[in-house]
Amino acid sequence: GNGSSTTVPRLTTSLTRNTVFSDYFVEKGDFLRVRNLQMGYTLPKSLSATMGAKKVRAYLSANNLYTLTGYSGFDPDIGNFGGVLAAGVDYGFYPQARTFMFGLTLQF
């Protein structure tokens, strides 16, 4: 009300708390994610033959490399946990893991 020094509502567990849905804590959840990125190089056949192979290929792969968002939670991709009434509610799950893989393919 007038003269209050905050815009944040008080936290209460009393029986008079307001249990109606509110948009007070709603924020934009849009995001752009680099989900999979793979880069590889196949050696020329002349170079592969000197190593005794038909084909030699090296690659580097990254999953969940980067997420661009203004969302303040751990992961903006919160899914639908808890049914229809809880759709879009962030329960604080851990973000998706970022993984890196290196591989070498040799064909003889």
Side-chain angles (χ1 to χ4, degrees):
N2 283 342
S4 69
S5 60
T6 184
T7 59
V8 180
R10 69 185 174 104
L11 179 65
T12 179
T13 57
S14 69
L15 295 176
T16 60
R17 71 177 185 260
N18 188 357
T19 56
V20 238
F21 288 111
S22 169
D23 63 353
Y24 183 77
F25 292 106
V26 174
E27 60 181 284
K28 288 180 70 169
D30 53 343
F31 66 97
L32 177 68
R33 176 173 285 155
V34 178
R35 178 88 55 178
N36 298 317
L37 181 67
Q38 186 177 49
M39 295 172 25
Y41 180 74
T42 304
L43 290 177
K45 289 185 180 187
S46 59
L47 205 59
S48 298
T50 61
M51 299 167 65
K54 288 183 186 177
K55 185 178 181 181
V56 177
R57 176 175 167 76
Y59 65 90
L60 177 67
S61 176
N63 294 329
N64 298 317
L65 187 61
Y66 186 74
T67 303
L68 178 66
T69 184
Y71 185 67
S72 64
F74 287 128
D75 191 358
D77 191 8
I78 58 176
N80 186 7
F81 178 77
V84 176
L85 291 179
V89 176
D90 187 355
Y91 288 97
F93 294 119
Y94 286 109
Q96 298 177 31
R98 181 178 300 141
T99 57
F100 296 94
M101 294 176 281
F102 173 76
L104 187 63
T105 304
L106 301 172
Q107 200 174 42
F108 295 99

